[in-house]
Amino acid sequence: MVQLLQAGIIAITTLTAAALALLETTWHWIARPPPRRRRNIALPGHRVDPATRIAIDAVEKVFVRDFKWSFRRLPDSKAGIDARAEILDGGRPTGRFLPLQIGLIQSWSEDGSDYVHRGENSYLDYWTKHSLPVCVVIVDAGSGTMRWQRANKESCTERASGWEMVVPAANVLDANAKLCFDEAIASDQESLMRSAFALDRELMEAVRDQTTFFVWDEWGDTTAIFSNLQIYIGEAERDEPDIRIDYHLRADNLHNVMIRLFPWATYSYAEPIKEYSDEVAVHVLEVELRPEAEAYLEAEDFLVAGYPDEEEPCAPESEDYVTAQEVEAFWRSRGFLREHRDKDE
């Protein structure tokens, strides 16, 4: 009897291990996008400085834990934006973004005075040109205290070497600051679209003319939860995505998520939705730039490069146009030389 029981336990253990292996293999297969053509693309990476990463982690906790918003880190860029907070309404995406530049200092002044933060003029120019309501967050490495200030023409003073702004000691980034940020973010449709295009410009440039897949997980609930966005850009086979965003968004359908977070994209399903154990479904989308996004990138390239060095075009001659040689021939035919005409005139 004991031997029979032992044999049963061994059989159950073997079957369980096999089932887990099959589950892992199946999940890897359904979550992986279809094969792509061969071509690589290099994306800018996130900042690797460990201290700065810790500062960004601390800021993320406030927006996610205290504000109940979403938080998306951005790669190094000429825009000088480290991350963007995304306002959620009951866990649902609204399309309202708050760009964040996050700085780390060793210690705040012990006397409680304000802090003077300095930045590059190119960043401020970019923010103001695109009407981005950027917020600068300063993290004290010693105490962990975080303070913030809005960056705009009114709060910043431009210098020859860059711009500077005063970060008040009273502007502590904690749960009580949520209302201040909420009021600073525009809600009109035009501003939302402009912000989305400006913040995702480098992602749009990476997606441009590339085979791109967005892979979403959908978890079953009374309202669906879309999470764990994986973005594959380019045509090289690989297991790890180029970008992974830890979203946790409630929505009636995935379309509502896509049009609010990525209004510059058009998409179609690359394959049928795959479901597993009635708990999770995997959506594999093939994403392309909208024609408006293509035009946006072309316009940005043109504005940055400036007016091209082109020669002035020549106007066409009219049929009754008389050249100087024709005028001279006319007077010669009448016996007048040029010097005689000049004296008479």
Side-chain angles (χ1 to χ4, degrees):
M1 184 67 181
V2 174
Q3 293 179 346
L4 182 61
L5 181 60
Q6 289 177 340
I9 293 175
I10 293 173
I12 293 174
T13 303
T14 303
L15 289 173
T16 301
L20 290 174
L22 178 61
L23 172 61
E24 182 178 359
T25 302
T26 303
W27 177 253
H28 177 76
W29 179 78
I30 64 176
R32 186 176 181 177
R36 287 157 283 167
R37 296 183 302 277
R38 294 287 181 180
R39 187 177 172 188
N40 293 322
I41 181 168
L43 291 177
H46 293 284
R47 288 199 277 186
V48 295
D49 176 31
T52 303
R53 189 183 303 118
I54 292 174
I56 296 176
D57 291 342
V59 174
E60 180 179 11
K61 287 181 180 179
V62 174
F63 282 98
V64 175
R65 178 194 60 200
D66 298 333
F67 290 11
K68 301 297 188 292
W69 291 359
S70 185
F71 190 90
R72 173 179 159 192
R73 301 177 187 225
L74 298 178
D76 290 340
S77 71
K78 51 197 166 190
I81 305 298
D82 298 298
R84 76 184 197 190
E86 303 174 353
I87 291 184
L88 303 181
D89 182 9
R92 296 174 178 268
T94 63
R96 299 175 63 197
F97 310 128
L98 177 63
L100 301 169
Q101 184 182 75
I102 301 171
L104 181 70
I105 60 175
Q106 292 306 311
S107 179
W108 198 276
S109 176
E110 295 182 0
D111 60 6
S113 58
D114 301 335
Y115 175 77
V116 178
H117 174 70
R118 295 175 175 83
E120 297 181 21
N121 280 331
S122 59
Y123 292 163
L124 184 62
D125 291 340
Y126 187 86
W127 302 343
T128 54
K129 286 175 183 176
H130 292 276
S131 301
L132 291 174
V134 177
C135 181
V136 173
V137 179
I138 302 300
V139 181
D140 185 336
S143 66
T145 303
M146 294 167 280
R147 294 175 174 86
W148 60 272
Q149 175 63 299
R150 298 172 190 166
N152 49 43
K153 287 291 186 181
E154 291 72 29
S155 63
C156 299
T157 302
E158 294 190 58
R159 308 291 187 191
S161 58
W163 56 271
E164 62 182 36
M165 63 183 295
V166 175
V167 181
N171 284 8
V172 178
L173 177 61
D174 55 19
N176 297 323
K178 179 179 180 180
L179 183 60
C180 299
F181 292 105
D182 198 342
E183 292 178 344
I185 305 175
S187 58
D188 62 286
Q189 186 62 32
E190 180 182 350
S191 296
L192 297 182
M193 296 282 281
R194 289 182 182 276
S195 295
F197 273 58
L199 288 173
D200 270 346
R201 177 181 170 186
E202 293 198 1
L203 177 57
M204 291 160 58
E205 290 174 341
V207 170
R208 193 179 197 177
D209 299 326
Q210 296 290 328
T211 303
T212 302
F213 294 96
F214 282 22
V215 181
W216 287 91
D217 292 345
E218 176 189 355
W219 294 88
D221 200 342
T222 53
T223 302
I225 298 176
F226 296 94
S227 61
N228 188 33
L229 172 60
Q230 302 173 73
I231 301 178
Y232 296 82
I233 304 174
E235 296 143 355
E237 292 286 355
R238 54 193 177 280
D239 294 329
E240 289 298 317
D242 297 284
I243 300 174
R244 187 189 301 274
I245 307 175
D246 188 21
Y247 279 127
H248 193 79
L249 307 169
R250 291 185 177 273
D252 296 329
N253 52 66
L254 183 55
H255 186 64
N256 286 338
V257 174
M258 289 294 295
I259 62 177
R260 283 172 172 78
L261 298 186
F262 306 99
W264 46 264
T266 181
Y267 70 94
S268 60
Y269 274 85
E271 57 184 51
I273 300 173
K274 293 185 175 67
E275 298 185 4
Y276 179 77
S277 297
D278 296 326
E279 292 184 358
V280 62
V282 178
H283 300 251
V284 181
L285 312 178
E286 185 165 0
V287 175
E288 297 179 349
L289 292 187
R290 288 186 170 279
E292 296 83 356
E294 292 276 8
Y296 173 87
L297 293 179
E298 290 179 4
E300 284 292 306
D301 292 341
F302 176 83
L303 295 174
V304 171
Y307 199 88
D309 185 14
E310 298 175 344
E311 294 183 0
E312 180 181 359
C314 298
E317 296 182 356
S318 62
E319 295 181 358
D320 57 351
Y321 177 76
V322 180
T323 65
Q325 292 81 0
E326 291 173 333
V327 171
E328 190 67 26
F330 171 80
W331 288 110
R332 283 185 180 277
S333 67
R334 285 161 175 72
F336 287 92
L337 298 177
R338 183 178 185 87
E339 56 268 18
H340 294 159
R341 297 199 312 273
D342 293 341
K343 291 178 180 180
D344 292 341
E345 293 175 356

Coordinates of all heavy atoms in Angstrom, one line a residue, residues 132-195:
L132 N 4.6 72.1 -23.4 CA 4.6 71.0 -22.4 C 4.7 71.6 -21.0 O 5.6 72.3 -20.6 CB 5.9 70.1 -22.7 CG 5.8 69.3 -24.0 CD1 7.2 68.6 -24.2 CD2 4.7 68.3 -24.0
P133 N 3.7 71.2 -20.1 CA 3.8 71.6 -18.8 C 4.7 70.8 -17.9 O 4.3 70.0 -17.1 CB 2.3 71.4 -18.3 CG 1.9 70.2 -19.1 CD 2.6 70.3 -20.4
V134 N 6.0 71.0 -18.2 CA 7.0 70.1 -17.5 C 7.2 70.5 -16.0 O 7.1 71.7 -15.7 CB 8.4 70.3 -18.2 CG1 9.5 69.5 -17.5 CG2 8.2 69.9 -19.7
C135 N 7.4 69.5 -15.2 CA 7.6 69.7 -13.8 C 9.0 69.1 -13.5 O 9.3 68.0 -13.9 CB 6.5 69.0 -13.0 SG 6.7 69.2 -11.2
V136 N 9.8 69.9 -12.8 CA 11.1 69.5 -12.3 C 11.0 69.0 -10.9 O 10.4 69.6 -10.0 CB 12.1 70.6 -12.4 CG1 13.5 70.2 -11.8 CG2 12.3 71.1 -13.9
V137 N 11.5 67.8 -10.7 CA 11.5 67.1 -9.3 C 12.9 67.0 -8.9 O 13.7 66.3 -9.6 CB 10.7 65.8 -9.3 CG1 10.7 65.2 -7.9 CG2 9.3 66.0 -9.8
I138 N 13.2 67.5 -7.7 CA 14.6 67.4 -7.1 C 14.5 66.4 -5.9 O 13.7 66.6 -5.0 CB 15.1 68.7 -6.6 CG1 15.1 69.7 -7.8 CG2 16.5 68.6 -6.0 CD1 16.0 69.3 -8.9
V139 N 15.3 65.4 -6.0 CA 15.4 64.4 -4.9 C 16.6 64.5 -4.1 O 17.7 64.6 -4.6 CB 15.3 63.0 -5.5 CG1 15.3 61.9 -4.4 CG2 14.1 62.8 -6.4
D140 N 16.4 64.6 -2.8 CA 17.6 64.7 -1.8 C 18.1 63.3 -1.5 O 17.4 62.5 -1.0 CB 17.1 65.4 -0.5 CG 18.2 65.7 0.4 OD1 19.2 65.0 0.4 OD2 18.1 66.6 1.3
A141 N 19.3 63.0 -2.0 CA 19.8 61.7 -1.8 C 20.0 61.3 -0.3 O 19.9 60.2 0.0 CB 21.2 61.6 -2.5
G142 N 20.2 62.3 0.5 CA 20.5 62.1 1.9 C 19.2 61.7 2.7 O 19.1 60.7 3.3
S143 N 18.2 62.6 2.6 CA 16.9 62.4 3.3 C 15.8 61.7 2.5 O 14.9 61.2 3.1 CB 16.4 63.7 3.8 OG 16.0 64.5 2.7
G144 N 16.0 61.7 1.2 CA 14.9 61.1 0.4 C 13.8 62.0 0.1 O 12.8 61.7 -0.6
T145 N 13.8 63.2 0.6 CA 12.8 64.2 0.4 C 12.8 64.7 -1.1 O 13.8 64.9 -1.7 CB 13.0 65.4 1.3 OG1 13.0 65.0 2.7 CG2 11.8 66.4 1.1
M146 N 11.6 64.8 -1.6 CA 11.4 65.3 -3.0 C 10.7 66.6 -3.0 O 9.7 66.8 -2.4 CB 10.7 64.2 -3.8 CG 11.4 62.9 -3.9 SD 10.4 61.5 -4.5 CE 9.6 61.1 -3.0
R147 N 11.2 67.5 -3.9 CA 10.5 68.8 -4.0 C 10.3 69.1 -5.5 O 11.1 68.6 -6.3 CB 11.3 69.9 -3.3 CG 11.4 69.8 -1.8 CD 12.3 70.8 -1.2 NE 12.2 70.8 0.3 CZ 12.9 70.0 1.1 NH1 13.8 69.1 0.5 NH2 12.8 70.0 2.4
W148 N 9.4 69.9 -5.9 CA 9.0 70.1 -7.3 C 8.8 71.6 -7.6 O 8.6 72.4 -6.7 CB 7.8 69.3 -7.6 CG 6.6 69.8 -6.8 CD1 6.2 69.3 -5.5 CD2 5.6 70.8 -7.1 NE1 5.1 70.0 -5.1 CE2 4.7 70.9 -6.0 CE3 5.5 71.7 -8.2 CZ2 3.7 71.8 -6.0 CZ3 4.4 72.6 -8.2 CH2 3.6 72.7 -7.1
Q149 N 8.9 71.9 -8.9 CA 8.6 73.2 -9.4 C 8.2 73.1 -10.9 O 8.8 72.3 -11.6 CB 9.7 74.2 -9.2 CG 9.6 75.5 -9.8 CD 8.4 76.3 -9.2 OE1 7.3 76.0 -9.2 NE2 8.8 77.5 -8.6
R150 N 7.2 73.9 -11.3 CA 6.9 73.9 -12.7 C 7.9 74.7 -13.5 O 8.3 75.7 -13.1 CB 5.5 74.5 -12.9 CG 4.4 73.7 -12.2 CD 3.1 74.5 -12.3 NE 2.1 73.9 -11.5 CZ 0.9 74.5 -11.1 NH1 0.7 75.7 -11.6 NH2 0.0 73.8 -10.4
A151 N 8.3 74.2 -14.7 CA 9.3 74.8 -15.5 C 8.6 75.5 -16.6 O 8.0 74.9 -17.5 CB 10.3 73.8 -16.0
N152 N 8.6 76.8 -16.6 CA 8.1 77.6 -17.7 C 8.8 78.9 -17.8 O 9.7 79.2 -17.0 CB 6.6 77.8 -17.5 CG 6.2 78.4 -16.1 OD1 6.9 79.2 -15.6 ND2 5.2 77.8 -15.5
K153 N 8.4 79.8 -18.7 CA 9.1 81.1 -18.9 C 9.0 81.9 -17.7 O 9.9 82.8 -17.4 CB 8.5 81.8 -20.1 CG 8.9 81.2 -21.5 CD 10.4 81.4 -21.8 CE 10.7 80.9 -23.2 NZ 12.2 81.0 -23.5
E154 N 7.9 81.8 -16.9 CA 7.7 82.7 -15.8 C 8.6 82.3 -14.6 O 9.1 83.1 -13.9 CB 6.3 82.6 -15.3 CG 5.3 83.3 -16.3 CD 5.1 82.6 -17.6 OE1 5.2 81.3 -17.5 OE2 4.8 83.2 -18.6
S155 N 8.8 81.0 -14.4 CA 9.6 80.5 -13.3 C 11.1 80.3 -13.5 O 11.8 80.1 -12.6 CB 9.0 79.1 -12.8 OG 9.2 78.1 -13.8
C156 N 11.5 80.4 -14.8 CA 12.9 80.2 -15.2 C 13.5 81.5 -15.6 O 12.9 82.4 -16.2 CB 13.0 79.2 -16.3 SG 12.3 77.5 -15.9
T157 N 14.8 81.6 -15.3 CA 15.6 82.8 -15.7 C 16.7 82.2 -16.7 O 17.4 81.4 -16.3 CB 16.2 83.5 -14.5 OG1 15.2 83.9 -13.6 CG2 17.0 84.7 -15.0
E158 N 16.7 82.8 -17.9 CA 17.7 82.3 -18.9 C 19.0 83.0 -18.7 O 19.1 84.2 -18.5 CB 17.2 82.5 -20.3 CG 16.0 81.7 -20.6 CD 15.6 81.7 -22.0 OE1 16.5 81.4 -22.9 OE2 14.5 82.1 -22.4
R159 N 20.1 82.3 -18.7 CA 21.5 82.8 -18.6 C 22.2 82.4 -19.8 O 21.7 81.5 -20.6 CB 22.2 82.2 -17.3 CG 21.4 82.4 -16.0 CD 21.3 83.8 -15.6 NE 20.7 84.0 -14.3 CZ 20.3 85.1 -13.8 NH1 20.5 86.2 -14.5 NH2 19.8 85.2 -12.6
A160 N 23.4 82.9 -20.0 CA 24.2 82.5 -21.1 C 24.6 81.0 -21.1 O 24.7 80.4 -22.2 CB 25.5 83.4 -21.2
S161 N 24.8 80.5 -19.9 CA 25.2 79.1 -19.8 C 24.1 78.2 -19.7 O 24.3 76.9 -19.6 CB 26.2 79.0 -18.6 OG 25.5 79.4 -17.4
G162 N 22.8 78.7 -19.6 CA 21.7 77.8 -19.4 C 20.6 78.6 -18.6 O 20.7 79.8 -18.4
W163 N 19.6 77.9 -18.2 CA 18.5 78.5 -17.4 C 18.5 78.0 -15.9 O 19.1 77.0 -15.6 CB 17.1 78.2 -18.0 CG 16.8 76.7 -18.1 CD1 17.1 75.9 -19.2 CD2 16.2 75.9 -17.2 NE1 16.7 74.6 -19.0 CE2 16.1 74.6 -17.8 CE3 15.7 76.1 -15.9 CZ2 15.6 73.5 -17.1 CZ3 15.1 75.0 -15.2 CH2 15.1 73.7 -15.8
E164 N 18.0 78.8 -15.1 CA 17.9 78.4 -13.7 C 16.5 78.7 -13.1 O 15.8 79.6 -13.6 CB 19.0 79.1 -12.9 CG 18.9 80.6 -12.8 CD 20.1 81.2 -12.1 OE1 21.2 80.7 -12.1 OE2 19.8 82.2 -11.4
M165 N 16.1 78.0 -12.1 CA 14.8 78.2 -11.5 C 14.9 77.9 -10.0 O 15.8 77.2 -9.6 CB 13.8 77.3 -12.1 CG 14.1 75.8 -11.9 SD 12.9 74.7 -12.7 CE 11.4 75.1 -11.8
V166 N 14.1 78.5 -9.2 CA 14.0 78.3 -7.8 C 13.0 77.3 -7.5 O 11.9 77.3 -7.8 CB 13.7 79.6 -7.1 CG1 13.5 79.4 -5.6 CG2 14.7 80.7 -7.3
V167 N 13.5 76.2 -6.8 CA 12.6 75.2 -6.3 C 12.3 75.4 -4.8 O 13.2 75.3 -4.0 CB 13.3 73.8 -6.5 CG1 12.3 72.7 -6.0 CG2 13.7 73.6 -7.9
P168 N 11.1 75.9 -4.5 CA 10.8 76.2 -3.1 C 10.9 75.0 -2.2 O 10.5 73.9 -2.5 CB 9.3 76.7 -3.2 CG 9.1 77.1 -4.6 CD 10.0 76.1 -5.4
A169 N 11.4 75.3 -1.0 CA 11.5 74.2 0.0 C 10.1 73.7 0.5 O 10.0 72.6 0.9 CB 12.2 74.7 1.2
A170 N 9.1 74.6 0.3 CA 7.7 74.2 0.7 C 7.0 73.3 -0.3 O 6.1 72.6 0.1 CB 6.9 75.5 0.9
N171 N 7.6 73.2 -1.5 CA 6.9 72.3 -2.5 C 7.4 70.9 -2.4 O 8.2 70.3 -3.2 CB 7.3 72.8 -3.9 CG 6.5 74.1 -4.3 OD1 5.8 74.6 -3.5 ND2 6.7 74.5 -5.6
V172 N 6.9 70.2 -1.4 CA 7.2 68.8 -1.1 C 6.4 67.9 -2.0 O 5.1 68.1 -2.0 CB 7.1 68.5 0.4 CG1 7.4 67.0 0.6 CG2 7.9 69.4 1.2
L173 N 7.0 66.9 -2.6 CA 6.3 66.0 -3.4 C 5.8 64.8 -2.5 O 6.6 64.0 -2.1 CB 7.1 65.4 -4.6 CG 6.5 64.4 -5.4 CD1 5.3 64.9 -6.1 CD2 7.5 63.8 -6.5
D174 N 4.5 64.9 -2.2 CA 3.9 63.8 -1.4 C 2.4 63.7 -1.8 O 2.0 64.4 -2.8 CB 4.0 64.0 0.1 CG 3.5 65.4 0.5 OD1 2.7 66.0 -0.2 OD2 3.9 65.9 1.6
A175 N 1.7 62.9 -1.1 CA 0.3 62.7 -1.5 C -0.5 64.0 -1.5 O -1.5 64.2 -2.3 CB -0.4 61.7 -0.5
N176 N -0.1 65.0 -0.7 CA -0.9 66.3 -0.6 C -0.7 67.2 -1.9 O -1.4 68.1 -2.0 CB -0.4 67.1 0.6 CG -0.8 66.3 1.9 OD1 -1.8 65.7 2.0 ND2 0.1 66.4 2.9
A177 N 0.3 66.9 -2.7 CA 0.6 67.7 -3.8 C -0.2 67.3 -5.1 O -0.1 67.9 -6.1 CB 2.1 67.6 -4.1
K178 N -1.0 66.2 -5.0 CA -1.7 65.7 -6.1 C -2.6 66.8 -6.8 O -2.5 66.9 -8.0 CB -2.6 64.5 -5.7 CG -3.4 64.0 -6.9 CD -4.2 62.8 -6.4 CE -5.0 62.2 -7.6 NZ -5.8 61.0 -7.1
L179 N -3.3 67.6 -6.0 CA -4.2 68.6 -6.6 C -3.4 69.6 -7.4 O -3.8 70.1 -8.5 CB -5.0 69.3 -5.5 CG -6.0 70.3 -6.0 CD1 -7.0 69.7 -6.9 CD2 -6.7 71.0 -4.8
C180 N -2.2 70.0 -6.9 CA -1.4 71.0 -7.7 C -1.0 70.5 -9.0 O -1.0 71.2 -10.0 CB -0.1 71.3 -6.9 SG -0.4 72.0 -5.2
F181 N -0.7 69.2 -9.2 CA -0.3 68.6 -10.5 C -1.5 68.5 -11.4 O -1.5 68.7 -12.6 CB 0.4 67.3 -10.3 CG 1.7 67.4 -9.6 CD1 1.9 67.0 -8.3 CD2 2.8 67.9 -10.3 CE1 3.2 67.1 -7.7 CE2 4.1 68.0 -9.8 CZ 4.3 67.6 -8.4
D182 N -2.6 68.0 -10.8 CA -3.8 67.8 -11.6 C -4.3 69.1 -12.2 O -4.6 69.2 -13.4 CB -4.9 67.3 -10.6 CG -6.1 66.7 -11.4 OD1 -6.2 66.9 -12.6 OD2 -6.9 66.0 -10.8
E183 N -4.2 70.2 -11.5 CA -4.6 71.5 -12.1 C -3.7 72.1 -13.1 O -4.0 72.9 -14.0 CB -4.7 72.6 -10.9 CG -5.9 72.2 -10.0 CD -5.9 73.2 -8.8 OE1 -4.9 74.0 -8.6 OE2 -7.0 73.3 -8.1
A184 N -2.4 71.6 -13.1 CA -1.4 72.1 -14.0 C -1.5 71.5 -15.4 O -0.9 72.0 -16.4 CB 0.0 71.9 -13.5
I185 N -2.2 70.4 -15.5 CA -2.2 69.6 -16.8 C -3.5 70.0 -17.6 O -4.6 69.9 -17.1 CB -2.2 68.1 -16.5 CG1 -1.0 67.7 -15.6 CG2 -2.2 67.3 -17.8 CD1 -1.0 66.3 -15.2
A186 N -3.3 70.4 -18.8 CA -4.4 70.8 -19.7 C -5.3 69.6 -19.9 O -4.8 68.4 -19.9 CB -3.8 71.3 -21.0
S187 N -6.5 69.9 -20.2 CA -7.5 68.8 -20.5 C -8.2 69.0 -21.9 O -9.0 68.1 -22.2 CB -8.6 68.8 -19.4 OG -9.2 70.0 -19.3
D188 N -7.9 70.1 -22.6 CA -8.5 70.2 -23.9 C -7.8 69.3 -24.9 O -6.7 69.0 -24.8 CB -8.4 71.7 -24.4 CG -7.0 72.1 -24.5 OD1 -6.3 72.4 -23.5 OD2 -6.5 72.2 -25.7
Q189 N -8.6 68.9 -25.9 CA -8.2 67.8 -26.8 C -6.9 68.2 -27.6 O -6.0 67.4 -27.8 CB -9.3 67.5 -27.8 CG -9.0 66.3 -28.7 CD -8.8 65.0 -28.0 OE1 -9.4 64.8 -26.9 NE2 -7.9 64.2 -28.5
E190 N -6.8 69.5 -28.0 CA -5.7 69.9 -28.8 C -4.4 69.8 -28.0 O -3.4 69.3 -28.5 CB -5.9 71.3 -29.3 CG -4.7 71.8 -30.2 CD -4.9 73.3 -30.7 OE1 -6.0 73.8 -30.5 OE2 -3.9 73.8 -31.2
S191 N -4.4 70.3 -26.8 CA -3.2 70.3 -25.9 C -2.8 68.8 -25.6 O -1.6 68.5 -25.6 CB -3.5 71.0 -24.6 OG -3.7 72.4 -24.9
L192 N -3.8 68.0 -25.4 CA -3.5 66.6 -25.1 C -2.8 65.9 -26.3 O -1.8 65.2 -26.2 CB -4.8 65.8 -24.8 CG -5.5 66.2 -23.5 CD1 -6.8 65.3 -23.3 CD2 -4.6 66.2 -22.3
M193 N -3.3 66.2 -27.5 CA -2.7 65.6 -28.7 C -1.3 66.2 -28.9 O -0.3 65.4 -29.2 CB -3.5 65.9 -29.9 CG -4.9 65.3 -29.9 SD -4.9 63.5 -30.3 CE -4.8 63.7 -32.1
R194 N -1.1 67.5 -28.7 CA 0.2 68.1 -28.9 C 1.2 67.5 -27.9 O 2.4 67.2 -28.2 CB 0.2 69.6 -28.7 CG -0.5 70.3 -29.8 CD -0.5 71.8 -29.6 NE -1.2 72.5 -30.6 CZ -0.7 72.9 -31.8 NH1 0.6 72.6 -32.0 NH2 -1.4 73.5 -32.7
S195 N 0.8 67.3 -26.7 CA 1.7 66.7 -25.6 C 2.1 65.3 -26.0 O 3.2 64.9 -25.9 CB 1.0 66.7 -24.3 OG 0.8 68.0 -23.8

